Amino acid sequence: MSERHTLLEHPLFRVEGWDVPTRTGSARVVRMCTTPWVNVVPLTQDGQLVLVRQHRYGIGADTLEIPGGVAEAGEDPQVAAARELVEETGYGGGTWESLGWVWSNPAILDNRTW
């Protein structure tokens, strides 16, 4: 594996690239380095799921999704989740239960989604 190089620096992420060996030579791989993300599955007292409609520039369309966002560097995931829920929906409080974490997209990202 060759030395990693920063290809792009952005306030929200950094893109790194390096060469890896293949059967026929080598290939350039890249990864995006960023802070963790959080998602919330909020249920109202009467069991209704709270969703948010957001415009997503990557696909050029609106989506209907669970609330979530970026955790600040070093921020506890539950604190970030509570903050994002209030910011996006106005809902807050209640009982919280962590469902754990997953790798956000391990093919190109180095962060976790809680």
Side-chain angles (χ1 to χ4, degrees):
M1 186 164 78
S2 68
E3 183 178 333
R4 294 180 182 166
H5 299 279
T6 298
L7 304 175
L8 174 69
E9 194 77 41
H10 184 277
L12 297 177
F13 59 86
R14 180 180 72 256
V15 177
E16 297 178 339
W18 66 96
D19 296 321
V20 295
T22 67
R23 289 182 295 204
T24 59
S26 67
R28 171 61 56 127
V29 296
V30 296
R31 76 171 176 183
M32 185 184 305
C33 304
T34 188
T35 59
W37 298 337
V38 293
N39 287 125
V40 183
V41 183
L43 301 174
T44 63
Q45 288 183 338
D46 62 350
Q48 298 292 308
L49 177 63
V50 178
L51 299 174
V52 293
R53 185 173 309 279
Q54 300 190 75
H55 185 79
R56 295 300 188 181
Y57 293 97
I59 61 169
D62 289 349
T63 62
L64 190 59
E65 57 192 62
I66 59 176
V70 176
E72 302 298 327
E75 185 177 27
D76 179 87
Q78 186 169 323
V79 170
R83 176 181 47 74
E84 288 291 336
L85 179 62
V86 170
E87 286 177 6
E88 293 189 1
T89 70
Y91 284 91
T95 303
W96 288 80
E97 179 182 345
S98 174
L99 300 177
W101 62 269
V102 296
W103 292 110
S104 302
N105 179 349
I108 60 169
L109 297 167
D110 73 341
N111 70 325
R112 296 176 181 183
T113 298
W114 292 86

